[in-house]
Amino acid sequence: MEFKLPDLGEGITEGEVIKWLTKEGDQVKEDQPIVEVMTDKVNVQIPSPRSGRVTKIFVKEGDVAKVGQTIMVIDEGGSGTPPQALVFPAPRPPVAATPAPVQSAPPAQGVLATPATRKLARELGVDIAAVSGSGPGGRIVDDDVKRSAARSGTSTVTVQAAPAASPTGGPREDVVPLRGLRRTISDRMVKSLRTTAQVTHVDEADVTELVLLREALKGSAEKRGVHLTYLPFIIKALVPALKEFPYVNSSLDEQGGSIILKKYYNIGVATDTEQGLVVPVVKDVDRKDIFELAGEIEKLSSKARGGQLSLDDVHGSTFTITNVGAIGGLFATPIINIPEVAILGLHKIAKRPVVREDKIEIRDTTYLSLSFDHRVFDGAYAARFTSRVVETIQDTKKLLAEVL
C-alpha cells in the first residue's frame, strides 16, 4: 500500500520530514509511530495505518512533502494486490513511550526527545537511547546529550566547514542546514512581510499601579499553585480594547474579498524555546480570570519548551502577544502572525522619570508596540486601540473589573 502524507487539518498543505522512526526492510505494526513531521504549527508523529514491511521510502529527512504525496510503501504481506491509497488515523503529537526490547525498529524510537536534540545526539555520536533525561517527564534535553558526550569523549561535531582555517588550525566557518522549526519560522516571517502592509505603532504605559496590584495578588496566586506574571493582566486588558476595536481581532480573506471579524478572543503567546519561537494559544481569555490564565500560560509554556505541544495547542489564535520584557531592550517591531492582522509587543518594565502635574516622578513604565496590517485598518484606529489598552492597564479599578 502507498503511504501518503495525510491531511493534518487547519489548512496545512505540507510538512517537513524531521525524523523517520523506521527504515526500508523494517516490519511495522498498525498504529506504530513511523515518521515525525513538522508543520508550520507543530511537530506530529504519524502512525502506520497497517502492519507490514516497509519496502520503499521516497522522502528523505529534511525534505518537504505535500499532503497527499506518497512518502513510503508498506507491503502488507505480499498478496500481490496493487497498492491502495487509504485513509490514515489522525496524527498525534510526540508522547513518552516505554523503551522496547531489541527488535527491527530503531532503538531510539521510544526515547522522549525533540528532533533538534536527536540531531545533536547524532552529530556528537551519542546513542540517545542510553541517555538519561532530566527534562519534564524524563525528556532528554540538549544538556543531557552534551554531558553524555563529554563523559564518553565523543563531543566532536561533524559539520560542513569552509576551506579557510583559523590561526589555530580549525575551521573558521560552520555551515548549519536551515531545517526544522528554523526553516518554518523563516518561511512564515518572509511570507508575513511579503503579503501584508505592516506598520508599527508604539505607545508608553505607566504601570506603577499594575506592579503594585500584581504584588498584592501574588500570594493568592501561590495558594492556587500558579506563578503570576504580568502577562495575564495584559491579556485581560486586551479584551475590552479588542471588543471596542473589532478589526484588530480579525483576519483578511483576500480570495473572498472580505474581513472576518472574530467574536471570540484566543490569544497566541509567542514562546522562546531551544528549537525556536512557537506560539501556543490561550483560548477564550474573556471567560477566564487572571489565575486561570496564569495557570494555562504556565502549562502551555512548559509543553512548548518540552516539545510536547499538540495541534490543538497552537490552533485558532485571533491575536498574538510577544513578550521580550524579561530579556531587555527598549522596544521592537514584531512581525504579524498571519493570518492575524496585528501583534502586540511587550517590553521591559523599568523605572523612568515621568512628568506628572508639572513635577518629575520616578515611575514604573513600559513600551507597547503594535504591528498591524494597514490594509485592514489605519494608523488612527491602531493608535486608539493601543491607547485603550494603556488606559485599562493604568487604571486599577478598570483592570480589577477585568481580571477577577
Side-chain angles (χ1 to χ4, degrees), residues 138-153:
R139 176 174 292 275
I140 297 171
V141 297
D142 288 359
D143 286 343
D144 299 326
V145 174
K146 292 174 183 176
R147 281 194 293 269
S148 179
R151 286 195 298 269
S152 62

Side-chain angles (χ1 to χ4, degrees), residues 51-320:
S51 296
R53 185 173 65 88
V54 178
T55 59
K56 186 68 176 176
I57 291 177
F58 294 103
V59 182
K60 297 182 296 184
E61 291 180 1
D63 287 350
V64 175
K66 300 289 185 181
V67 169
Q69 177 182 338
T70 299
I71 58 176
M72 71 183 301
V73 174
I74 299 176
D75 181 356
E76 298 181 66
S79 61
T81 55
Q84 301 176 22
L86 300 177
V87 177
F88 304 110
R92 62 191 182 192
V95 295
T98 304
V102 176
Q103 37 154 295
S104 59
Q109 178 172 304
V111 173
L112 187 61
T114 65
T117 300
R118 292 174 185 271
K119 179 176 181 293
L120 177 64
R122 292 196 301 272
E123 292 174 341
L124 297 180
V126 172
D127 179 3
I128 198 167
V131 178
S132 297
S134 63
R139 176 174 292 275
I140 297 171
V141 297
D142 288 359
D143 286 343
D144 299 326
V145 174
K146 292 174 183 176
R147 281 194 293 269
S148 179
R151 286 195 298 269
S152 62
T154 60
S155 59
T156 301
V157 181
T158 302
V159 295
Q160 291 177 290
S166 68
T168 60
R172 299 182 67 182
E173 296 178 354
D174 289 340
V175 179
V176 180
L178 185 62
R179 292 180 179 170
L181 184 57
R182 190 73 262 155
R183 181 162 73 180
T184 297
I185 294 171
S186 173
D187 292 342
R188 286 183 62 81
M189 294 300 97
V190 170
K191 182 178 180 181
S192 178
L193 288 172
R194 188 179 66 242
T195 61
T196 60
Q198 300 201 24
V199 182
T200 302
H201 172 80
V202 180
D203 206 341
E204 184 179 24
D206 183 335
V207 293
T208 306
E209 301 302 324
L210 171 60
V211 171
L212 296 174
L213 179 59
R214 172 180 173 261
E215 193 63 31
L217 294 175
K218 281 173 65 175
S220 298
E222 290 172 1
K223 290 178 182 178
R224 291 169 168 82
V226 297
H227 175 60
L228 187 61
T229 66
Y230 292 107
L231 195 53
F233 293 95
I234 303 300
I235 289 176
K236 293 303 289 186
L238 282 173
V239 173
L242 291 173
K243 289 181 177 179
E244 186 176 341
F245 299 90
Y247 284 86
V248 182
N249 198 59
S250 71
S251 61
L252 178 61
D253 180 3
E254 294 185 67
Q255 195 169 17
S258 59
I259 298 171
I260 303 170
L261 305 180
K262 314 289 178 65
K263 296 184 179 180
Y264 52 95
Y265 307 93
N266 298 342
I267 305 300
V269 179
T271 304
D272 183 34
T273 72
E274 287 184 359
Q275 291 72 47
L277 197 68
V278 294
V279 187
V281 182
V282 185
K283 309 288 178 60
D284 299 315
V285 298
D286 55 321
R287 302 178 184 178
K288 298 170 182 174
D289 62 34
I290 55 166
F291 304 116
E292 292 173 305
L293 291 178
E296 195 164 337
I297 292 168
E298 197 169 6
K299 178 182 176 182
L300 288 170
S301 296
S302 177
K303 290 177 71 175
R305 295 187 177 102
Q308 297 173 310
L309 291 172
S310 67
L311 280 172
D312 185 63
D313 290 331
V314 296
H315 156 64
S317 61
T318 60
F319 183 87
T320 294

